[in-house]
Amino acid sequence: MATLADAPAAGTDDAFREEVRAFLAENFAPELKGNNNALSAVEGPGTETPAQKKWREAMGERGWGTPTWPKEYGGGGLSRAQAKILTEEMMKAGAWNPIGGMGVMMFGPTLLEYGSEAQKHEHIPPICRGEVRWCQGYSEPNAGSDLANLQTFAEDKGDHYLVNGQKTWTSGGQWADKCFCLVRTDRSDKHRGISFLLIDMDAPGVEVRPIQMISGVSPFCETFFTDVKVPKENLVGEEGQGWTIGKRLLQHERTNISGGGSMARMMGPSVSDIARMYGETDAEGRIADPVLRDRIADYEIRWNTFLLTARRAAEESKASGGVSEISSVLKKLGTKLGQERAELTIEIMGLQGLGWEGEGFTEKELEGVRGWLFGKAFTIYGGSTEIQNNIIAKRVLGMLDHQ
Amino acid sequence: MAVLNEEQEMLRDMARDWTTNESPVSAFRKMRDSKPDERYLADTWSAMAAMGWAGIVIPETYGGSDFGWMSAGLVVEELGKTLAASPLTMTTLAASAIVLGGSDEQKAKWLPALASGEKVATLAIDEGPHHAPHKIAASVSDGKLTGTKAFVHEAHGADLFVVAASDGLYLVEKGDGVSLSGRALTDQRSHANITFDGAAADKLANGGDDLLDQILDRARILTACEMLGMAQQVFDVTLDYLKQRVQFNQVLATFQALQHRMADLFADLAQMRSAVEAGLEALDSGHGIGRAAAIAKATANDVLHTVSREGIQLHGGIGMTDEYDIGFYLKRARVLEASWGSSSQMRDRFATLSGF
């Protein structure tokens, strides 16, 4: 059970710990500390220095970027306890995981569950080595929250499908090698007419256009498919099973949005530290504005409590062996807290916290502004807060339409 | 729900069965209407004592079970669900003051009697309508206590008071120099102002300077447990009601405006449970108790406040009637919110302990 100020309990496998330490000493160059390009490598343009490349290859070869995935597909094959030791030692060394992105966080776990042997052998090892970038072809202009309304059509042509349609909000689409895609194979049934298809982004007929966002960057794209030929062996599961597989993948996405990825990126100085840096403090080092101090305390209490809730959910699902139904609660709470943090930070910093570019602002300040704007997406993507509320009400609380 | 050990699960199930069968809300209603002198039903307390609940945080050498705070919290949470009126929380807190600050002699004198439920004890700290533990006027000279304590919980049935005086905590027995004047609050439980006029006072001398803070942190966390049980029950009862009540030819549960409000409350409750359980874990581990208590009480205050208001609103008119139980929770909620620390006081304490 978690307590507030708990350090992780030390693992017991001493020999393995030694092995990890030796590996880190040999492969993680000190210059890499704090020089994390993993995000850009797996979801961005993918530039890497020789040292970063060496680090990715070393981790990929061991499968330690995906430590608990089966060894036969290129994973680390580690037990949970060993994976914990690995994480602890990496944290101690300031090392980051260079293997990531949607392949690791969403597609891989789903394919391991639903893919054929041939598909697993083809697609999992490159993910484990960090060599392939996956993107998600789910949303369409008329299928956002109502995702099952998607219309991109895959026509059966005997040995292949012919795909026509448009996807949107394709994160990292302009840099991706492959796309896991929900397509329609049957127009007569909304849910059972959906299939899960893997499409090469460099196939003829695939066109990607980046969308500029309010934050000034273009992490999302529109993706157009015009008479794209996709081999039949790229169908995951059965034809018509796409909605089931696709929803499973969304569970991985939700857990990741609330617990890992975006949250971890926001971890920096606490809001109270920022307030003491940018605002006035009294003789005892307290935030001088009592109203602001109260609001920051309120925020930090809720943030601390959220971390406890996330840990509690993980422990309970481990103990019960099932996926926690609380994943929607975590997504809803975590994303809102992330946005609140950014808003509170801007308020603390005043106009210094609203710099767009150029002189007079530190890089961190500018990043903060872009992050605040980009963060408005947290409560929209991965199933908007409203959709999470529907899921909680209907699936968890049983507030059904027909009873 | 925390991952519990076997002993804790057993205790929780026992408490759940007992409150459901022997102490449902109708028992609280009966107590309210009959107004026994102690403001709880005597057989309720003797049943709890027989199950050993009064000794959960008392060492075995003094007749307790020493099961720990998580166990105590689980029981108190279950009692909160049905508003079971008893001096269990207050006796537990008073006993913990003696465990932490008492001499061997004081422990031997009081703990076995408290563990068995033979004696009832409570805390007498605040002197006005607001929690203000660092503005204590009551004082002791030559072993005699003089001062007035306000809104003391479970005062009517108490044999022993743990009293805050300007220089520390004292044990004062009911009797000469102790007079009680009842204060009927909305929750219809026992509250009274107590005047100590030269009452014999026996100092708890072993707890160190922060003994009072330590006791208050325990009061905050254990009270938050009761509040968690109340919030959970209001939520469950309200959800059931929404699934039954038909308007516009539809059960209310099918309206999205109501679904999303319930989803919000469900998320709030998840947060409340995390904060409360972390408080109990801090007490059992001995680490970070002050901050954990501030988090637990602030969160419990805020969530129960919202849930108890929404519970009435979502019930509509029927929720305004005395015949329906839901109003009892609202009336107890505000009393507990104001006891041992308001949300703003807890945020101030959290900020101070966090260094800002």
Side-chain angles (χ1 to χ4, degrees):
Chain A
M1 284 177 286
T3 59
L4 286 173
D6 241 4
T12 48
D13 192 339
D14 292 340
F16 180 71
R17 193 179 290 277
E18 283 311 314
E19 184 188 340
V20 172
R21 283 181 187 163
F23 170 81
L24 288 170
E26 193 187 327
N27 294 289
F28 189 75
E31 69 195 80
L32 290 172
K33 215 169 177 174
N35 194 7
N36 185 344
N37 77 322
L39 199 66
S40 129
V42 295
E43 285 177 0
T47 49
E48 58 183 6
T49 64
Q52 286 168 339
K53 182 163 185 280
K54 185 186 166 209
W55 171 232
R56 175 175 57 79
E57 287 172 350
M59 281 289 277
E61 193 183 326
R62 294 260 184 157
W64 282 0
T66 48
T68 57
W69 292 14
K71 227 179 170 123
E72 59 168 319
Y73 307 118
L78 301 184
S79 68
R80 275 187 187 283
Q82 288 174 321
K84 198 169 160 208
I85 292 171
L86 177 64
T87 309
E88 285 166 16
E89 290 303 319
M90 283 175 64
M91 272 170 71
K92 266 190 232 161
W96 37 271
N97 187 350
I99 314 288
M102 291 188 190
V104 171
M105 291 181 288
M106 299 179 220
F107 174 62
T110 310
L111 193 73
L112 283 170
E113 193 173 342
Y114 288 99
S116 67
E117 276 307 305
Q119 287 170 335
K120 288 192 262 191
H121 280 291
E122 180 184 352
H123 296 296
I124 302 291
I127 293 175
C128 297
R129 292 194 301 267
E131 289 173 357
V132 62
R133 280 170 291 183
W134 283 90
C135 65
Q136 179 181 38
Y138 270 37
S139 295
E140 295 181 8
N142 288 314
S145 284
D146 184 11
L147 181 61
N149 189 42
L150 61 94
Q151 300 299 331
T152 295
F153 197 74
E155 190 187 350
D156 191 337
K157 291 285 186 185
D159 65 333
H160 68 276
Y161 291 104
L162 198 64
V163 178
N164 280 285
Q166 181 190 349
K167 293 289 173 184
T168 191
W169 311 128
T170 325
S171 310
Q174 69 271 57
W175 300 297
D177 305 299
K178 289 168 187 292
C179 180
F180 53 90
C181 215
L182 291 181
V183 295
R184 183 157 297 288
T185 43
D186 178 358
R187 290 197 174 96
S188 68
D189 191 311
K190 185 172 179 180
H191 293 94
R192 273 171 298 207
I194 296 173
S195 298
F196 196 100
L197 204 57
L198 311 179
I199 301 179
D200 276 349
M201 292 300 279
D202 56 6
V206 179
E207 192 196 341
V208 177
R209 292 182 207 155
I211 306 169
Q212 182 160 335
M213 308 298 288
I214 55 173
S215 58
V217 296
S218 305
F220 303 120
C221 299
E222 293 177 291
T223 305
F224 299 88
F225 299 108
T226 311
D227 290 337
V228 179
K229 279 189 181 178
V230 179
K232 276 271 175 80
E233 58 262 30
N234 284 13
L235 175 74
V236 178
E238 305 286 319
E239 219 174 72
Q241 207 188 349
W243 186 244
T244 305
I245 300 172
K247 277 196 301 185
R248 180 73 180 152
L249 185 139
L250 287 177
Q251 280 186 331
H252 292 296
E253 181 178 17
R254 276 201 288 278
T255 310
N256 176 58
I257 289 172
S258 60
S262 48
M263 287 295 133
R265 275 170 243 164
M266 292 182 333
M267 292 292 210
S270 67
V271 179
S272 56
D273 286 342
I274 295 170
R276 280 185 303 173
M277 235 178 316
Y278 282 84
E280 285 177 41
T281 51
D282 68 13
E284 282 131 56
R286 287 190 302 214
I287 297 165
D289 177 343
V291 178
L292 183 62
R293 178 171 177 266
D294 180 72
R295 288 174 53 214
I296 290 173
D298 177 46
Y299 175 78
E300 292 202 348
I301 284 174
R302 286 183 291 123
W303 172 250
N304 271 288
T305 306
F306 170 73
L307 295 179
L308 292 166
T309 303
R311 240 189 293 183
R312 188 161 66 82
E315 282 162 8
E316 285 167 17
S317 73
K318 212 191 287 178
S320 72
V323 176
S324 175
E325 278 188 317
I326 218 171
S327 70
S328 288
V329 171
L330 294 179
K331 203 270 175 182
K332 165 187 159 83
L333 290 174
T335 53
K336 176 161 178 268
L337 284 163
Q339 292 178 344
E340 270 187 70
R341 181 191 206 279
E343 294 286 5
L344 201 47
T345 303
I346 286 173
E347 186 183 333
I348 290 165
M349 293 164 69
L351 294 177
Q352 190 67 29
L354 285 166
W356 182 250
E357 62 191 2
E359 242 174 88
F361 304 102
T362 67
E363 205 172 304
K364 281 259 175 275
E365 286 169 348
L366 294 173
E367 267 174 29
V369 175
R370 303 301 174 110
W372 155 65
L373 288 166
F374 182 77
K376 295 301 175 214
F378 295 166
T379 50
I380 300 169
Y381 64 40
S384 66
T385 298
E386 290 72 17
I387 291 291
Q388 304 308 327
N389 281 342
N390 286 348
I391 293 173
I392 294 167
K394 288 176 184 157
R395 305 233 189 96
V396 184
L397 303 179
M399 300 174 83
L400 299 173
D401 289 338
H402 308 286
Q403 45 191 351
Chain B
M1 174 60 56
V3 180
L4 303 175
N5 66 32
E6 210 171 305
E7 167 189 289
Q8 289 164 340
E9 263 182 39
M10 247 172 64
L11 195 59
R12 183 200 55 199
D13 293 345
M14 178 166 100
R16 192 169 286 173
D17 287 347
W18 183 80
T19 51
T20 309
N21 298 320
E22 308 297 329
S23 187
V25 183
S26 58
F28 168 76
R29 193 179 281 277
K30 184 176 151 201
M31 186 286 292
R32 178 195 69 165
D33 295 340
S34 63
K35 260 201 183 95
D37 289 344
E38 299 86 357
R39 301 292 188 278
Y40 54 83
L41 300 173
D43 55 355
T44 299
W45 178 237
S46 54
M48 288 184 186
M51 291 184 282
W53 294 352
I56 292 177
V57 301
I58 295 175
E60 290 178 48
T61 24
Y62 295 108
S65 66
D66 207 7
F67 278 179
W69 289 95
M70 178 60 79
S71 299
L74 291 168
V75 171
V76 169
E77 179 189 336
E78 293 303 321
L79 300 180
K81 287 183 184 170
T82 62
L83 301 164
S86 86
L88 181 69
T89 298
M90 296 316 300
T91 297
T92 300
L93 293 169
S96 78
I98 298 170
V99 171
L100 288 172
S103 63
D104 289 346
E105 202 179 313
Q106 287 166 325
K107 289 177 187 174
K109 180 174 178 191
W110 288 107
L111 292 179
L114 296 177
S116 69
E118 178 199 335
K119 297 281 186 190
V120 166
T122 191
L123 304 178
I125 313 290
D126 290 314
E127 302 183 349
H130 296 102
H131 178 55
H134 300 294
K135 283 187 205 153
I136 302 290
S139 63
V140 174
S141 71
D142 296 333
K144 304 286 182 197
L145 175 75
T146 304
T148 300
K149 296 293 170 181
F151 302 106
V152 173
H153 288 252
E154 302 303 334
H156 291 82
D159 304 293
L160 176 71
F161 300 90
V162 174
V163 186
S166 51
D167 66 333
L169 290 174
Y170 288 83
L171 299 179
V172 180
E173 288 182 58
K174 180 176 81 173
D176 287 348
V178 179
S179 56
L180 181 149
S181 168
R183 291 289 180 272
L185 297 182
T186 56
D187 64 352
Q188 312 277 346
R189 296 278 297 269
S190 164
H191 303 279
N193 288 3
I194 300 175
T195 304
F196 297 97
D197 186 9
D202 186 15
K203 188 166 190 181
L204 292 174
N206 295 345
D209 289 343
D210 67 343
L211 180 61
L212 176 57
D213 279 333
Q214 291 189 56
I215 302 308
L216 290 173
D217 284 337
R218 282 157 177 73
R220 287 161 188 148
I221 292 168
L222 208 54
T223 301
C225 294
E226 179 178 344
M227 297 169 86
L228 175 62
M230 291 167 63
Q232 182 69 56
Q233 186 69 12
V234 170
F235 180 85
D236 289 346
V237 165
T238 303
L239 181 60
D240 280 349
Y241 182 76
L242 294 177
K243 287 178 179 178
Q244 282 159 25
R245 171 78 171 166
V246 175
Q247 291 283 276
F248 307 104
N249 298 317
Q250 266 176 280
V251 285
L252 294 183
T254 62
F255 289 98
Q256 196 180 39
L258 305 183
Q259 291 178 342
H260 285 198
R261 278 161 69 181
M262 291 303 281
D264 279 341
L265 296 180
F266 183 72
D268 286 347
L269 266 178
Q271 288 278 79
M272 184 182 189
R273 183 169 293 284
S274 304
V276 170
E277 288 179 356
L280 293 169
E281 285 161 10
L283 286 180
D284 282 332
S285 73
H287 294 303
I289 295 171
R291 272 178 103 227
I295 291 174
K297 188 61 172 32
T299 307
N301 281 354
D302 293 348
V303 175
L304 180 60
H305 190 93
T306 307
V307 172
S308 59
R309 281 171 66 175
E310 285 283 77
I312 301 263
Q313 177 67 24
L314 290 167
H315 272 78
I318 196 89
M320 293 295 296
T321 63
D322 184 72
E323 190 191 337
Y324 242 68
D325 294 339
I326 197 91
F328 291 154
Y329 292 85
L330 176 77
K331 292 187 275 189
R332 175 72 170 163
R334 295 302 177 274
V335 171
L336 295 181
E337 284 167 41
S339 301
W340 317 121
S342 66
S343 294
S344 61
Q345 288 175 318
M346 292 297 92
R347 289 195 289 268
D348 174 58
R349 186 164 159 78
F350 172 85
T352 302
L353 293 174
S354 304
F356 68 89

